[in-house]
Every structure is written in structure tokens, then in C-alpha cells.
């Protein structure tokens, strides 16, 4: 799946493996992750809680807490250079500058005792050769860009609502025109109407700034609205990777199918949601072979023995399921013959 072409991809993750060593054993948070992201492209990282999405994002930012976390191997090529070979001071210059991250809860990113303009200005000063006055001017400009009036620039975070706080966080994240923005469930902590407003704002800013985006979410609806490509993660691995169009029209992995089936269909009068049976596996005790096999309705005997390889079933559409992948190939061949 890795297509090594530094000029074409802003980010090329190769065989990234991250573990946490805890008392109960080793948590295989991310296993052999391979992904690439083009300039200006938007990638959705989808999966249930514990699938490894946030750990992968923290890995890109080099923020995995060590101990207990450890990057076991792989490469994270960003703009042609491996982030894993950077020193901590080089990474400090990259974080917030070339790569920014928005977290789920805005309060984890905001300092409660500093006014919001100063918080944005601090980020600008850290990464640019400007005066304090210029940084404060940029802060006001950013606040206005995210829909906050300049009269509120001297307010403290607690004077804003949840949605407005997340707008401030977005302003901080975009203040230095990052080449890559990682948004980790940026609207989960907000109520539904505000979620829609914040997503709309992110879409509008993305058009203006042309930042590449990794959107971490468990919500396929958000992916449909925001992303060009999708990676479906399960138990630390990507199990399907495709364009949003291909994934929504031709989902090929049984886990992806399960995710789609568990979305409530408001047009049908159904009493029960078709949830995926069973639970995510214990990350210290991942099932052998295909880690989805205990929950998979299509599992055959070999599924518990052989680790499935990623197979390209159509250009740019990769699936880690030999059983289902082969079936799809056969079906499409049969359709072509007809
Ligand atoms: Fe299901 Fe087997 Fe495919 Fe895994 S490899 S998703 S268990 S059919």
C-alpha cells in the first residue's frame, strides 16, 4: 500500500508499530500501519474506541508517552523526512508549525488563565519571526476567521461556550498555516447543532488554506462530508483503505460492512440496530490470524490461522480479507462476463 514518492505525498507512514507495555501485558496499539496522504488531501481514520487511531496520530506528532508507550518500528516520512529520526527540539519546531493537532476536548488545549488572543499569539511567536504586536494582530485575524469577533479577543476560555472554545482551538491550530492538520474527534464533545457548525467551519477553512487533513472519527457521516480517502482501523491495523467514494459504494471488509450496518436507518421502521456482535478484542491479547475472526460472520477455518495481507481489489482500494476480497473479485469478473 505504501507508495514511496516523497514529492507526491506530504505524509507516508511505513510499517509503523507502536506498543504500550503495561502490567497486564503488551498492548499492540498500532501494528504495521501503512498509509499515505497527498498534498491538500483529507484522510478519515475510522474505527471503534481502542482501534489505535489516536495512538497513530500521537505517533505522527511524536507524542506517544514513553514509558509506557514505545514506537517499535517503522517510518513516518513527512515532507520527505523521517519524523522518527528528529530530535525533540526539531519536533517542537514542527508541532504547531508544520503539523497541528486538534483534540476532542478543547479544554485540554486551552490555558484557563490566559486570554485567547495571547494563546494564539504565543503559537505565532513560537514559530515565526514576528513582534509581539504582529502576533497579537495575527491572533485577532485568526479569531475573526473562525467567526469570533475581535471584541472577544481579551476574554478567557471559560467565558466561551464549548463550540466557541473549539473554534479558538482551531484558530490556534491554523495560526501558523500548518501543512498537515490532525483532528482527533474534534466535535465529539459538542452538541449536535454546534458539531455541524464546527464541521462546516473546518470545511470552509480547509478550502481557504488547503491544509492536508487527517480526521480521526468513529462517525462515517463525518467522513462522507469531509474526507477524500478513508482508512478503517481495527485492533491496531488498517483493514480497509480506499477513496471515500469507493468505500461508501463498495465496502469490502466485513468489519466495514458491520460499521455501515450499525448506522441507524431513519427511513426503516426497525426496533433494533444491527450492531457488530462481540466486542473489540483485549489489546493485550489480540486473536490469532485475522483479529476480526471471532466477530466475523464470514469467517472460515483459515481466518484464525493466517494473518490477512492487504490486497488491492481495484485501483487504490485495499482490503485485508482474502476471503471477501476474492469473492468480490469473482463477483466483478462475473458481472463483466455478463
Ligand atoms: Fe472475516 Fe476471515 Fe475476512 Fe477476517 S479474513 S474479515 S475473519 S472473512
Amino acid at each position: 500500500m505504501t507508495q514511496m514518492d516523497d514529492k507526491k505525498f506530504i505524509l507516508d507512514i511505513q510499517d509503523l508499530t507502536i506498543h504500550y507495555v503495561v502490567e497486564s501485558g503488551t498492548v499492540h496499539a498500532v501494528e504495521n500501519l501503512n498509509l499515505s496522504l497527498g498534498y491538500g488531501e483529507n484522510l478519515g481514520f475510522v474505527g471503534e474506541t481502542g482501534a489505535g487511531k489516536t495512538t497513530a496520530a500521537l505517533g505522527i506528532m511524536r507524542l506517544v508517552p514513553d514509558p509506557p508507550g514505545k514506537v517499535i518500528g517503522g517510518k513516518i516520512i513527512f515532507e520527505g523526512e523521517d519524523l522518527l529520526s528528529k530530535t525533540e527540539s526539531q519536533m517542537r519546531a514542527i508541532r504547531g508549525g508544520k503539523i497541528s493537532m486538534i483534540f476532542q476536548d478543547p479544554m485540554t488545549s486551552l490555558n484557563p488563565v490566559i486570554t485567547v488572543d495571547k494563546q494564539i499569539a504565543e503559537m505565532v511567536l513560537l514559530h515565526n519571526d514576528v513582534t509581539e504586536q504582529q502576533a497579537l494582530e495575527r491572533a485577532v485575524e485568526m479569531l475573526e476567521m473562525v467567526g469570533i469577533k475581535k471584541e472577544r479577543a481579551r476574554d478567557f476560555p471559560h467565558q466561551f461556550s464549548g463550540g466557541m472554545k473549539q473554534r479558538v482551538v482551531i484558530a490556534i491550530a491554523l495560526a501558523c498555516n500548518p501543512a498537515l492538520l490532525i483532528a482527533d474527534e474534534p466535535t465529539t464533545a459538542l452538541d449536535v447543532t454546534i458539531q455541524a457548525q464546527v464541521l462546516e467551519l473546518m470545511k470552509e477553512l480547509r478550502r481557504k488554506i488547503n491544509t492536508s487533513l487527517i480526521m480521526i472519527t468513529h462517525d462515517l457521516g463525518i467522513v462522507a462530508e469531509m474526507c477524500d480517502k478513508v482508512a478503517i482501523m481495527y485492533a491496531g491495523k488498517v483493514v480497509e483503505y480506499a477513496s471515500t467514494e469507493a468505500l461508501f459504494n463498495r465496502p469490502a471488509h466485513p468489519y466495514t460492512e458491520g460499521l455501515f450496518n450499525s448506522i441507524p436507518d431513519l427511513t426503516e421502521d426497525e426496533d433494533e440496530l444491527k450492531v457488530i456482535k462481540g466486542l473489540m478484542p483485549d489489546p493485550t491479547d489480540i486473536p490469532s490470524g485475522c483479529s476480526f475472526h471471532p466477530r466475523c460472520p464470514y469467517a472460515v477455518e483459515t481466518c484464525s490461522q493466517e494473518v490477512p495481507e492487504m490486497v488491492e481489489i481495484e485501483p487504490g482500494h485495499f482490503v485485508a480479507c482474502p476471503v471477501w476480497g476474492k469473492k468480490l473479485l469473482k463477483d466483478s469478473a462475473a458481472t463483466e462476463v455478463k
Side-chain angles (χ1 to χ4, degrees):
M1 178 163 55
T2 299
Q3 303 135 46
M4 194 51 229
D5 181 343
D6 293 349
K7 296 211 173 55
K8 197 165 160 208
F9 296 110
I10 185 167
L11 183 73
D12 188 21
I13 302 176
Q14 304 171 12
D15 292 322
L16 181 66
T17 298
I18 304 172
H19 292 171
Y20 292 97
V21 180
V22 292
E23 236 171 72
S24 51
T26 299
V27 174
H28 297 252
V30 174
E31 283 293 320
N32 296 104
L33 179 70
N34 287 288
L35 279 180
S36 51
L37 184 67
Y39 283 85
E41 228 171 32
N42 306 297
L43 170 76
F45 240 17
V46 180
E48 292 163 285
T49 306
K53 309 173 304 259
T54 298
T55 301
L58 291 176
I60 298 168
M61 298 292 280
R62 287 268 310 275
L63 286 175
V64 173
D66 178 6
K70 191 128 214 102
V71 176
I72 304 295
K75 286 183 178 171
I76 302 171
I77 311 288
F78 173 71
E79 295 194 319
E81 291 179 29
D82 188 2
L83 294 181
L84 294 180
S85 64
K86 300 274 177 204
T87 62
E88 184 44 37
S89 80
Q90 287 170 324
M91 277 312 297
R92 270 199 296 273
I94 291 172
R95 279 186 220 118
K98 290 193 156 205
I99 309 179
S100 273
M101 187 156 173
I102 300 173
F103 294 92
Q104 194 175 114
D105 177 3
M107 282 321 282
T108 55
S109 317
L110 296 175
N111 187 329
V113 296
I114 300 180
T115 56
V116 294
D117 62 340
K118 284 209 171 139
Q119 298 196 43
I120 303 171
E122 258 177 31
M123 187 59 85
V124 177
L125 280 169
L126 197 65
H127 296 285
N128 298 276
D129 188 14
V130 291
T131 64
E132 209 174 323
Q133 185 53 36
Q134 286 168 324
L136 283 167
E137 282 164 16
R138 171 77 177 153
V140 171
E141 198 184 293
M142 288 309 299
L143 284 171
E144 289 189 321
M145 193 190 268
V146 299
I148 296 176
K149 292 200 175 87
K150 62 173 178 234
E151 293 75 30
R152 307 233 26 208
R154 306 307 315 278
D155 285 356
F156 291 93
H158 70 87
Q159 293 172 279
F160 292 92
S161 65
M164 294 292 258
K165 279 192 207 106
Q166 198 59 306
R167 283 172 188 256
V168 175
V169 171
I170 293 171
I172 296 175
L174 297 178
C176 300
N177 288 328
L180 174 63
L181 176 66
I182 303 174
D184 187 2
E185 307 263 10
T187 56
T188 306
L190 308 173
D191 72 45
V192 181
T193 332
I194 309 297
Q195 267 187 20
Q197 288 172 10
V198 171
L199 283 177
E200 201 45 53
L201 170 73
M202 288 188 70
K203 269 205 301 200
E204 191 189 313
L205 294 176
R206 203 192 62 194
R207 274 196 297 271
K208 275 191 198 157
I209 300 174
N210 200 32
T211 300
S212 303
L213 172 74
I214 294 181
M215 173 66 85
I216 299 174
T217 180
H218 59 272
D219 186 336
L220 283 162
I222 290 180
V223 169
E225 269 199 53
M226 305 280 297
C227 303
D228 313 306
K229 280 181 175 177
V230 198
I232 305 284
M233 279 194 87
Y234 186 78
K237 288 186 177 166
V238 172
V239 294
E240 184 161 4
Y241 176 68
S243 68
T244 307
E245 181 278 319
L247 190 106
F248 275 71
N249 290 314
R250 297 175 294 285
H253 195 281
Y255 178 60
T256 314
E257 185 190 61
L259 287 179
F260 277 113
N261 286 344
S262 54
I263 299 173
D265 185 345
L266 300 178
T267 59
E268 302 260 324
D269 188 18
E270 284 180 33
D271 293 336
E272 273 179 54
L273 280 183
K274 291 186 215 114
V275 290
I276 304 170
K277 71 169 173 112
L279 296 172
M280 274 288 263
D282 173 352
T284 62
D285 188 18
I286 302 279
S288 60
C290 171
S291 49
F292 188 55
H293 82 259
R295 303 173 77 183
C296 181
Y298 309 105
V300 294
E301 212 184 323
T302 49
C303 293
S304 60
Q305 294 144 22
E306 290 163 21
V307 178
E309 296 269 324
M310 272 285 189
V311 180
E312 191 169 15
I313 56 166
E314 61 179 320
H317 189 164
F318 298 85
V319 183
C321 171
V323 178
W324 208 234
K326 267 184 212 151
K327 179 184 174 318
L328 278 180
L329 285 178
K330 239 193 273 164
D331 287 354
S332 63
T335 318
E336 272 165 31
V337 172
K338 278 180 213 162

